[in-house]
Amino acid sequence: MATNTETESEGFGRVSRSTGVVFRYLLLGATLFGLVFVTVLLAYVANDAIQPLTADPGWHLTFFLTLVVPTLAVAGYLYRQPEDVLNTGALSIGLVVVSLLFSGGAAMIFVDIVTPLTWLAFVVALAVPAAVTAAVVRYDHRVPFTAQFVVTVAAFYLSLFGIPGPVTDIQVVPGLFGLISGVPFAPAPWLMLVGTLGLPIAFVSGRIVAHDRGRRTTVLLTLAFLAVAAAGGVVAPFVGVDPVPGTVVATVGLVLPLAYAVNVAVNRPAERAGLLLPAAVVVGALVGAIAVDALGFAGPQSWIDWAFLTSPHSSSAEEAGFYPSIAGSILLMLTVAVFSFPVGVGAAVYLEEYAPDNKFTRVIDVNISNLAGVPSVVYGLLGLALFVTYLGQSPGTVLIGGATLGLLILPIVIISAREAIRAVPEEMRAASFGMGATRWQTVRTVVLPRSFSGILTGTILALGRAIGETAPLIMIGAPNTKFSVPTGISEAASAMPLQVYAWSSLYAGPEFYEKVVPAGVVVLVAVLLAMNSIAIVLRNKFQTGE
């Protein structure tokens, strides 16, 4: 039995229970110190951006009665239920918020960056060679590996690029992408999105919800979710919104949380009560909005409104917008993912599954770990020297910015992917080898599917770091302020942290510093939290699977 008396123990020195208690509370104090100060800082910034105290008292009272009280009551009830029920309710709310947030970003892409016809051409040009690859893989025991590789690569190349002719702009065999993107007549843009974006999401959602209930149930559920996606395009004009963003928001922002709720209601009856929590939030918010509108209560004079999110930058604080920077960050993140994900995962697979354990690989391990801690400004200098100075590319473009940020997070992607691959039990590899599978077949069918959630989690967290970086973009000459949305990877693009930096330095007046800057910071933090929440959900799912 432990006592407060101090005794001497060989190997531990002086043993004292009081010292342990003091050490424990010192750690607790250090933890609370950091959390409290970060919370106070975020609350201070959010108060400047949203200004909740400028709303009428009746506005606060209405939402307190319709939203806060019912939500707290439901949460209290769920707290007395098994833990999974409350977790399901919290996850449902988070999924609604994150889906709506990302649906706005996806709508922005299809409105200003990629036309629905180009998207349709790209999807078809990838779907056809993917089908060819699936057919080749299905009969891989009859086809040599070299033939499989050649057929697969040729299918993707011909579909995307065709066969170029001896003269520029003339092709002997046009690719599917060029053929479809150049057709003179095409369906309505929102209908193309229903077919290319809504149908795959509806099909996956239908299969998950239908579970093992047969093909007919899967088809019916797929059609039901597809109808929700199509309804977005039909209803949008009646509320003053273009059908294209309406379709995207309905597909990404409504179908996904709806599919999760239906899946819980149908397949997990013990957790159905958790759906009361998102229902209380959604219904309470709608009832509160209708009530304050009917009663004439004014809301907070927030700087984060629709105009702030959809307007370009202005020298006037009242007219300053964040739209080009949000679009630039989205394009940069897509480029970073294309550069870093395949290279990082490929390196991780090689180092974990194929590389011998010798001095050379140990040197590589140490250098990758060291590169993960190099300051971001060094990667900016590397991008400037490599891409701009030696390769002669234009500074500040989406391509150069994405490549530089891709180099920045590449060590993190490699390390996280290696940890996920290493977590796959060795017994599963041995079982695969025991059944006669080769190393490649074991990696493809056992290791990668088992570790994919962990790989994706690490990649998302790395992208979260990249989206908040400023120093590398400054070093490669990315513009602080952009007045239009970049429409291609060769155009210059700004980013959210760069725009906030410009507001706080180049336009450092009280109106910008105390109102516009906090609004930009809140939007940036909201995007980061959304990305991190996706990573947390994937990690929990992976751990549950374990």
Side-chain angles (χ1 to χ4, degrees), residues 91-412:
L91 182 60
S92 302
I93 294 177
L95 188 60
V96 170
V97 174
V98 172
S99 298
L100 289 175
L101 188 63
F102 277 88
S103 68
M108 181 184 299
I109 292 176
F110 290 110
V111 170
D112 288 315
I113 300 174
V114 179
T115 64
L117 181 59
T118 303
W119 170 254
L120 172 66
F122 193 69
V123 170
V124 174
L126 286 180
V128 172
V132 173
T133 304
V136 170
V137 171
R138 185 175 183 180
Y139 297 100
D140 60 347
H141 57 285
R142 303 179 187 175
V143 184
F145 175 77
T146 305
Q148 294 180 40
F149 181 78
V150 171
V151 170
T152 302
V153 172
F156 275 97
Y157 184 85
L158 291 175
S159 180
L160 290 172
F161 307 108
I163 299 178
V167 182
T168 305
D169 297 334
I170 296 179
Q171 289 188 315
V172 178
V173 178
L176 269 178
F177 179 81
L179 281 176
I180 298 175
S181 60
V183 295
F185 303 102
W190 71 274
L191 283 177
M192 288 189 275
L193 289 178
V194 170
T196 55
L197 186 67
L199 182 59
I201 292 179
F203 176 71
V204 173
S205 302
R207 286 204 63 176
I208 293 175
V209 175
H211 199 46
D212 55 355
R213 288 179 173 81
R215 185 175 300 176
R216 182 178 179 183
T217 306
T218 302
V219 172
L220 291 176
L221 286 170
T222 300
L223 292 176
F225 291 129
L226 188 63
V228 175
V234 176
V235 175
F238 295 100
V239 294
V241 179
D242 190 84
V244 169
T247 304
V248 177
V249 171
T251 302
V252 181
L254 297 181
V255 171
L256 292 179
L258 182 62
Y260 178 79
V262 175
N263 184 46
V264 171
V266 173
N267 298 320
R268 290 146 60 182
E271 301 174 17
R272 286 175 185 166
L275 298 179
L276 291 174
L277 194 57
V281 173
V282 173
V283 174
L286 290 176
V287 172
I290 294 173
V292 296
D293 185 63
L295 297 174
F297 294 136
Q301 299 174 4
S302 172
W303 281 84
I304 304 176
D305 53 13
W306 185 251
F308 178 76
L309 297 175
T310 59
S311 300
H313 170 68
S314 172
S315 58
S316 170
E318 287 74 14
E319 298 176 358
F322 216 23
Y323 187 68
S325 300
I326 296 175
S329 289
I330 293 174
L331 273 180
L332 283 172
M333 287 306 102
L334 292 176
T335 311
V336 171
V338 169
F339 275 116
S340 61
F341 184 74
V343 177
V345 175
V349 170
Y350 174 77
L351 291 173
E352 285 297 321
E353 299 295 329
Y354 292 95
D357 184 14
N358 54 29
K359 187 178 294 184
F360 179 69
T361 55
R362 286 194 287 274
V363 169
I364 292 178
D365 287 345
V366 172
N367 278 283
I368 290 175
S369 301
N370 290 334
L371 288 173
V374 171
S376 58
V377 67
V378 177
Y379 283 98
L381 288 171
L382 175 64
L384 178 67
L386 181 62
F387 301 119
V388 179
T389 303
Y390 291 104
L391 298 182
Q393 299 294 317
S394 301
T397 61
V398 175
L399 181 64
I400 301 305
T404 304
L405 293 175
L407 289 175
L408 170 67
I409 68 169
L410 185 59
I412 305 174

Side-chain angles (χ1 to χ4, degrees), residues 432-433 436-443:
S432 177
F433 293 141
T438 63
R439 173 73 69 177
W440 156 242
Q441 289 171 325
T442 301
V443 169

Side-chain angles (χ1 to χ4, degrees), residues 459-476:
T459 304
I460 292 173
L461 291 176
L463 289 174
R465 181 193 173 185
I467 200 173
E469 286 291 345
T470 306
L473 298 177
I474 293 177
M475 296 308 298
I476 63 168

